[in-house]
Amino acid sequence: MASEIASSAPAHAAIEVNPRARFEILGAILLALFLGALDQTIVGPVLPKISTQLNGADFYTWVVTAYLVTSTAAIPVYGKLSDFFGRKPMLLIGIVLFLIGSVLSGLSQTMWQLILFRGVQGLGAGALFPISLAVIGDLFTPAERGKYQGLFGAVFGVAFLVGPFLGGVLTDNLSWHWIFFVNIPVGLISLYLIGRLLPMVHPADAHFTLDIVGVTTFVGAIVPVLVALTLAENGNWGDPYVIGWFAVGFAFLVAFIIAEARAADPMIPLDLFRNRTFAVSVIATFFAVFGFSVLIIFLPLWFQVVQGASTTASGYLLFPFLIGLIFSSILAGQLVSRTGRYKTLLLVALILMTAGLALFSNLRADTSPPALWFWMVLTGLGVGPTMAIFTLIVQNDVPFDRLGTATSDLTLFRQIGTSVGLTVAFTLFRNNLTWGLLHDSIVGAGVPASAVPTTAPAGFDPGQLTSVGGGSISAFAQIPAQLQAGYAAGFHQAFSIAVANSVWLGVGAAVLSFVALLALKENPLRTHFHADQAARAGLQASPSGSAAGVAE
């Protein structure tokens, strides 16, 4: 209730600045988030053209994997360092690395250069999301944060709308190199504003010891697992290389857990998981992201393969989903700030997400646009509140000196959930798209059964069928001309059914997120909790900062 978040004393954030500076910093932070989100949405649709021009189609996925590996590995390191050296230097370092990686990626002349420089970009991107969220935790009390962290979902929604269009325009009128160069002006503006406005605040007399063993074993665990997930995207889970990479990763994971349990100052404090709010939020976030990532990857592909939409258009066809996401993200933030309650809101959101995903199990080649719009809006309404509220409640419940660490660790599990979700979903999809399903769908489209082989032809490759740009038509080039339309229609139906069956994976993940959330104990949002802890931590602002003094 609202009364439970009220306080007779004035509300204090951990770091106080004057109101104007606070909202200017918020704008700069949202710009930094937009920088990272825009890069993800602008690069993906153009990658096929880039890989063709650089003669690197065989290494297509590694452009994504390099970015994912370095950003994932860097996330907890930045979070830990920010608790000791302050958010400002970590965020500035992240933006600078991101911009360097952007320039080098734009100058790439070979596929391997692009892969390497995307890795540099990822090192910077690892700071953008968790540190930006931690800065909001510093500048606003838990009771206020919902109003502003709800904007984070809106930033991703806007980036999702702008990215594909901007990427298409730049690539068609200039060259693909400019999809990386476009980051420069946005990044420089964000760099200037954060450098000028954000106070340099850090704990006094902090004694930091780098957890070298923890960092090494963590990187040794996360890199092989992400590589294995990339190799397994084609469904080859039994491949010796996949098994080998997973084995190396899990061996390092065991070593990492042992090292962190013994470390005096661990990079990822394992006792955080004894905090019920943190543990439940990590599990619920992992499965929630796992769930809706299935939809995010398959819907654009369905629009391109089945409806023949362009890469750019497929992004805009997700507009109903994004409208639901943006609206519910902002509304949820406002409701949580006003009431101090969040558990029921999250449970309702997960029910909506589950229902929306379940409706997609009815997807067929001839599904009407109004039905699709309704399903997307419903799912988006469920996804929106999960984008920011989990971060909010974790920051509300952990000590201030671990706010950066806890925020980055939550971001880490969100990113891992996305990676695992995409890989498992693609595997399930490929297993669903069998020749038996194709046979029945082609016959159902009106092709005589005698004209459709009962067993898969030699060299049958579902991957060729699922490529965009008329892949299904070219795959059926040897079929008599009068039957090709029927084969294509049958394939589109089979593709739709395979996607619909794969969405059940997302439904199951959303249900698991809901079940995990039932264990959450709701703690009313505080108005000045972190201000008191910040004062005890002896936070100091540099003379040049605009801080007004911490909890004096």
Side-chain angles (χ1 to χ4, degrees), residues 314-339:
S314 67
Y316 289 112
L317 289 170
L318 288 174
F319 189 72
F321 170 78
L322 298 173
I323 287 296
L325 185 154
I326 293 171
F327 174 77
S328 63
S329 177
I330 295 175
L331 179 63
Q334 295 294 325
L335 290 175
V336 171
S337 288
R338 291 186 180 187
T339 66

Side-chain angles (χ1 to χ4, degrees), residues 6 38 44 73 99 105 148 163 180 190 264 329 351-352 388 404 411 422 433 444 447 475 510 533:
L38 180 66
L99 293 180
S105 295
Y148 307 109
F180 297 105
S190 179
S329 177
I351 290 173
L352 292 177
T411 305
L422 295 182
L433 191 59
V447 177
Q533 293 194 346

Side-chain angles (χ1 to χ4, degrees), residues 160 292-302 304 318 421-423 425-426:
F160 213 108
F292 74 77
S293 65
V294 175
L295 185 66
I296 292 298
I297 190 64
F298 281 130
L299 259 189
L301 189 61
W302 184 84
Q304 293 176 55
L318 288 174
L422 295 182
T423 302
F426 259 118

Side-chain angles (χ1 to χ4, degrees), residues 80-81 83-85 206-215 259-270 401-402 405:
K80 184 68 175 179
L81 292 176
D83 281 335
F84 281 87
F85 301 112
H207 299 286
F208 176 72
T209 303
L210 180 62
D211 180 16
I212 297 177
V213 177
V215 172
E260 296 302 89
R262 296 177 176 177
D265 187 14
M267 181 183 69
I268 299 181
L270 299 182
D401 60 359
R402 287 186 169 183
T405 299

Side-chain angles (χ1 to χ4, degrees), residues 158-237:
V158 172
F160 213 108
L161 291 174
V162 173
F165 171 76
L166 186 58
V169 169
L170 291 174
T171 303
D172 294 340
N173 294 283
L174 296 171
S175 72
W176 64 262
H177 303 275
W178 284 91
I179 67 170
F180 297 105
F181 295 150
V182 76
N183 292 329
I184 307 305
V186 178
L188 289 177
I189 294 172
S190 179
L191 195 66
Y192 168 74
L193 292 175
I194 291 171
R196 184 175 70 87
L197 298 171
L198 187 62
M200 177 74 85
V201 183
H202 56 86
D205 302 322
H207 299 286
F208 176 72
T209 303
L210 180 62
D211 180 16
I212 297 177
V213 177
V215 172
T216 303
T217 52
F218 173 76
V219 173
I222 203 70
V223 171
V225 169
L226 290 175
V227 170
L229 288 172
T230 300
L231 295 174
E233 280 186 2
N234 292 327
N236 301 321
W237 289 84

Side-chain angles (χ1 to χ4, degrees), residues 71 87 242 246 371 392:
S71 62
R87 319 290 183 217
V242 174
F246 271 126
L392 172 66

